[in-house]
Amino acid sequence: MRIVLVGPPGAGKGTQAAYLAKNLAIPHISTGDLFRANISQGTELGLRAKGYMDAGQLVPDEVTIGMARDRMNQPDAENGFLLDGFPRNVAQAEALDEALQTDGVKLDAVLDLEVPEDEVVKRIAGRRICRNDSSHVFHVTYSRPKQDGVCDVCGGELYQRDDDSEDTVRKRLEVYHTQTEPIIDYYKAQGLVVTISALGKVAEVTGRAMDALERSS
């Protein structure tokens, strides 16, 4: 299957993408990984992207789409892929459709992870990260440390990142509603959108998504 994963920040897209890609035996393609791989390998697209990033500018859509297209044409993506974090706006969605059409393939589904805005704020603003090791993550509601402000693993100080503050989260949501959410209507017009609730345990959401994708295929 060829799938685009969409949803607001805090919906659990990265987590679900990893599980779904494994269950469906297709590669998980995230924009972050694309940029890192192309820059580290020194590809032409990677060098172009790095130039824009070093100058503090946004990477043009054509560069991002070029990276995505190259990745989607690799052998392990022959039977499908799961795009996470791309497209981010309608212009990118249109460009992606054009690229796929040129390559003789098309999307099978757009999986929309739906989460109430208050829950998004609660999920992100409640995160606490260990200063000694950022992989040690806790939550003031869902995964409380044994001692407030202290990492259970190494005893390091737990803190809230600046971009996890409620004000910042709400600004990120505004950007999502303005720029990314319109792609849902764009894909609905093509009959591709499958919407599920992203509330509940990770395994429950994965099962819900797999059932929905199976029904849509």
Side-chain angles (χ1 to χ4, degrees), residues 55-174:
Q57 300 174 353
L58 292 175
V59 177
D61 287 349
E62 64 184 62
V63 176
T64 306
I65 291 160
M67 291 181 184
R69 189 175 181 184
D70 284 350
R71 181 67 185 85
M72 291 184 295
N73 284 327
Q74 290 181 20
D76 66 336
E78 184 177 353
N79 295 321
F81 50 75
L82 192 154
L83 288 176
D84 168 23
F86 177 84
R88 288 184 180 275
N89 54 52
V90 173
Q92 289 184 351
E94 291 172 342
L96 174 63
D97 278 351
E98 186 176 334
L100 291 173
Q101 186 175 9
T102 300
D103 293 337
V105 296
K106 60 185 180 66
L107 292 175
D108 295 299
V110 174
L111 182 61
D112 173 28
L113 300 182
E114 195 171 64
V115 185
E117 191 160 306
D118 286 345
E119 175 64 18
V120 168
V121 174
K122 185 177 180 181
R123 286 182 180 186
I124 299 177
R127 283 195 300 221
R128 298 295 182 268
I129 316 294
C130 177
R131 288 196 186 278
N132 293 342
D133 188 333
S134 60
S135 69
H136 303 162
V137 182
F138 297 84
H139 194 280
V140 297
T141 302
Y142 304 122
S143 181
R144 294 177 60 87
K146 294 174 183 176
Q147 182 179 345
D148 287 346
V150 179
C151 175
D152 289 356
V153 182
C154 68
E157 178 192 0
L158 298 179
Y159 75 105
Q160 182 187 51
R161 298 187 307 185
D162 290 341
D163 58 354
D164 284 350
S165 71
E166 181 171 342
D167 285 347
T168 303
V169 174
R170 292 198 182 277
K171 287 176 184 174
R172 289 168 61 192
L173 282 167
E174 285 178 19

Side-chain angles (χ1 to χ4, degrees), residues 35-68:
F35 277 78
R36 283 188 289 273
N38 277 270
I39 291 172
S40 67
Q41 292 166 16
T43 67
E44 179 186 346
L45 289 169
L47 292 173
R48 288 177 63 189
K50 188 175 186 301
Y52 286 105
M53 293 164 69
D54 288 348
Q57 300 174 353
L58 292 175
V59 177
D61 287 349
E62 64 184 62
V63 176
T64 306
I65 291 160
M67 291 181 184

